[in-house]
Amino acid sequence: MNQTQSLLIIGFVWPEPNSSAAGGRMMQLISLFQEQGFQVTFASPAQDSDFMVDLSQYKVEKKSIALNSSSFDTFVKELNPTIVLFDRFMIEEQFGWRVAKNCPNALRILDTEDLHCLRLARQKAFKEKREFQTTDLLVEEVAKREIASILRSDLSLMISEFEIELLKTTFKIDSSLLYYLPLLLESDQIPDLEKLPSFENRKDFIFIGNFLHEPNWNAVQYLKEAIWPLIKKELPEAVLNIYGAYPSQKVLQLNNLKEGFLIKGRAENANEVVLKARIVLAPLRFGAGIKGKLLEAMQCRTPSITTSIGAESMQADLSWNGFVEDNLEIFAKKAVELYQDKKLWLAAQINGIAIIEKRYLRSSFEVDFEERVEFTLNNLQQHRLNNFMGELLQHHTLKSTMYMSKWIETKNKNSN
């Protein structure tokens, strides 16, 4: 690609690769586009955080922007990016119409992370103690916003094949608007087995996950109340280390030395703590997307036990690196079994590496991704003509959102 082409990423937050899989995913996208020859600018209306990555170290220009401000129009017009990448649908809602108005020829890409409406509809069904149905999505308020955002975008990056099928069947989204790009690993990110701690040199169970993410907090509660007591009964000396960024006071209060249930908070190096553990536990009861914690477990060759929600869209027809179990008694029983049985544990390790090699290696995706981006850029006019519903939504959004945003901007000026 032409070296002078530029990419503007508008972030919901500044990337924190050590805090969440979403932060790691964003750094992967930056790297993929840089390899295609793009100069990258990362803009966000978010406040700086203590754990954000130093973008200048990655040759990325950092720009703070404001919500509901025409200053963004001036900025984006001057930058005149070839591609604009929106980090989640909420950012496309805020800035998509401004990009469409000021840079009509820029390719607009949405990175969904996971399907928010699916996660929220499942969460609602769980709290109402009923089975989730795909028809729940049709009445989910967020679905209306998220699907509109997908339709307005030229291309949406999806990390889950299950979610792609859902969009195509339930919402009738054309496959030309969707692109499967999961979390990726470099081949050199998979350490040699000989260099890793052995079965005998590993101990304890581990859970890891950002506590700002509701499915993670729920899973920790589930472990504390129902699963861990069953495991502890069979393995009295066992310890469960709970790691995660942004633990609240209610999370910290679960710490109990006597029960071997230890809240450790943020891990300085997630890989390091997962490498030392013998088993990863991830009893997720709702959620969406694919789970960075489980891919990381495979990368560290640490077997895991999760639920069908946890493993969704991750393994295809390959064997899991441990067990996938929704029944809590069997979940606990399998955890004990895997913790004690070296032969079973070693077989699980091998399964995890097979999943990575067949489904998550960057080398399997980067060429096809570059070709898809280039093809869409070169055929943008026809691509948009084929997406009439998207153009219709863009037309009405431009009118309604534009006037609402201008009203907010005027109101803000008058109140200062």
Side-chain angles (χ1 to χ4, degrees):
M1 283 204 170
N2 189 317
Q3 289 295 318
T4 58
Q5 290 187 305
S6 65
L7 166 73
L8 169 64
I9 299 173
I10 309 178
F12 181 65
V13 292
W14 301 106
E16 291 186 22
N18 292 329
S19 299
S20 68
R25 157 75 162 190
M26 184 51 72
M27 298 312 293
Q28 288 172 7
L29 289 174
I30 288 170
S31 173
L32 281 169
F33 278 106
Q34 284 178 327
E35 226 164 73
Q36 293 177 31
F38 283 89
Q39 292 175 332
V40 182
T41 301
F42 194 104
S44 178
Q47 296 291 315
D48 285 7
S49 79
D50 293 338
F51 303 102
M52 61 191 275
V53 77
D54 181 358
L55 289 167
S56 65
Q57 288 188 359
Y58 296 87
K59 297 180 180 172
V60 174
E61 188 182 337
K62 177 180 180 281
K63 172 77 177 174
S64 289
I65 52 176
L67 295 170
N68 302 305
S69 172
S70 52
S71 61
F72 176 83
D73 301 350
T74 308
F75 158 68
V76 80
K77 205 180 282 188
E78 283 176 8
L79 186 65
N80 193 25
T82 315
I83 298 176
V84 177
L85 176 77
F86 302 102
D87 171 24
R88 289 166 263 204
F89 80 91
M90 304 83 84
I91 286 294
E92 189 280 333
E93 281 182 330
Q94 285 286 345
F95 295 98
W97 68 271
R98 291 185 184 275
V99 171
K101 186 182 177 194
N102 293 289
C103 304
N105 298 322
L107 175 66
R108 300 188 300 272
I109 299 178
L110 172 66
D111 185 39
T112 57
E113 292 295 349
D114 61 15
L115 214 49
H116 291 63
C117 61
L118 175 62
R119 172 160 42 88
L120 292 170
R122 279 175 167 167
Q123 184 174 328
K124 196 176 286 182
F126 171 78
K127 291 194 170 171
E128 292 172 1
K129 296 182 170 56
R130 59 179 178 81
E131 285 291 312
F132 164 77
Q133 308 287 335
T134 52
T135 49
D136 291 343
L137 291 166
L138 301 175
V139 294
E140 175 58 53
E141 188 64 32
V142 168
K144 297 175 179 69
R145 295 168 54 198
E146 192 165 24
I147 300 307
S149 182
I150 288 169
L151 284 166
R152 284 191 299 263
S153 301
D154 298 312
L155 200 61
S156 288
L157 307 181
M158 309 295 301
I159 62 172
S160 161
E161 294 152 315
F162 173 82
E163 291 174 12
I164 288 179
E165 280 309 304
L166 197 67
L167 289 173
K168 284 156 69 172
T169 53
T170 304
F171 296 106
K172 313 298 184 227
I173 305 283
D174 194 271
S175 57
S176 66
L177 299 177
L178 307 171
Y179 187 79
Y180 174 60
L181 189 69
L183 303 175
L184 301 174
L185 288 173
E186 304 273 10
S187 52
D188 62 6
Q189 287 181 287
I190 307 166
D192 294 335
L193 200 53
E194 297 73 36
K195 294 177 183 174
L196 295 178
S198 64
F199 175 83
E200 291 80 8
N201 289 332
R202 293 181 187 234
K203 63 171 190 168
D204 301 337
F205 294 85
I206 188 172
F207 174 89
I208 191 162
N210 187 319
F211 285 110
L212 296 178
H213 195 55
E214 183 67 23
N216 289 334
W217 163 233
N218 181 269
V220 169
Q221 289 176 295
Y222 191 32
L223 281 164
K224 174 78 171 178
E225 294 160 12
I227 296 173
W228 185 243
L230 296 176
I231 296 172
K232 189 71 173 167
K233 187 180 174 186
E234 298 299 317
L235 299 170
E237 302 304 311
V239 169
L240 172 56
N241 294 305
I242 309 280
Y243 286 93
Y246 302 106
S248 64
Q249 194 55 41
K250 62 183 179 179
V251 176
L252 297 171
Q253 282 172 353
L254 296 181
N255 186 70
N256 190 311
L257 190 61
K258 189 181 170 188
E259 293 173 4
F261 195 93
L262 307 181
I263 305 296
K264 301 281 190 159
R266 176 185 292 273
E268 293 234 351
N269 186 318
N271 264 35
E272 206 172 273
V273 295
V274 175
L275 276 170
K276 289 176 182 174
R278 193 176 286 181
I279 309 284
V280 168
L281 299 178
L284 298 159
R285 293 187 282 186
F286 52 85
I290 59 173
K291 313 303 178 293
K293 62 174 70 60
L294 295 173
L295 186 58
E296 184 172 54
M298 295 176 204
Q299 180 190 358
C300 295
R301 303 198 188 216
T302 309
S304 65
I305 305 177
T306 190
T307 56
S308 51
I309 289 282
E312 182 176 271
S313 208
M314 288 198 71
Q315 71 193 101
D317 57 354
L318 301 167
S319 297
W320 191 251
N321 76 319
F323 295 102
V324 178
E325 185 52 63
D326 291 324
N327 177 285
L328 78 92
E329 283 91 1
I330 301 173
F331 187 104
K333 185 184 169 193
K334 293 294 185 187
V336 172
E337 195 180 330
L338 194 55
Y339 194 83
Q340 293 179 315
D341 190 330
K342 181 178 177 179
K343 189 177 175 185
L344 197 63
W345 191 88
L346 291 171
Q349 267 194 334
I350 292 165
N351 291 344
I353 294 304
I355 292 172
I356 287 177
E357 289 178 342
K358 290 183 180 172
R359 292 183 56 78
Y360 297 104
L361 284 184
R362 175 172 167 154
S363 54
S364 303
F365 291 89
E366 54 191 350
V367 174
D368 188 74
F369 178 56
E370 180 174 358
E371 288 173 355
R372 179 65 175 272
V373 168
E374 197 159 10
F375 177 83
T376 312
L377 262 174
N378 293 337
N379 298 276
L380 194 53
Q381 191 177 355
Q382 188 58 49
H383 182 77
R384 287 177 177 167
L385 284 173
N386 294 343
N387 179 22
F388 180 74
M389 288 303 290
E391 291 296 284
L392 181 147
L393 282 166
Q394 191 66 258
H395 171 81
H396 287 285
T397 301
L398 194 62
K399 297 289 185 284
S400 59
T401 313
M402 178 175 73
Y403 289 116
M404 173 59 81
S405 186
K406 285 185 180 298
W407 178 79
I408 293 169
E409 185 177 9
T410 305
K411 188 167 171 283
N412 289 343
K413 279 178 185 171
N414 291 339
S415 63
N416 287 339

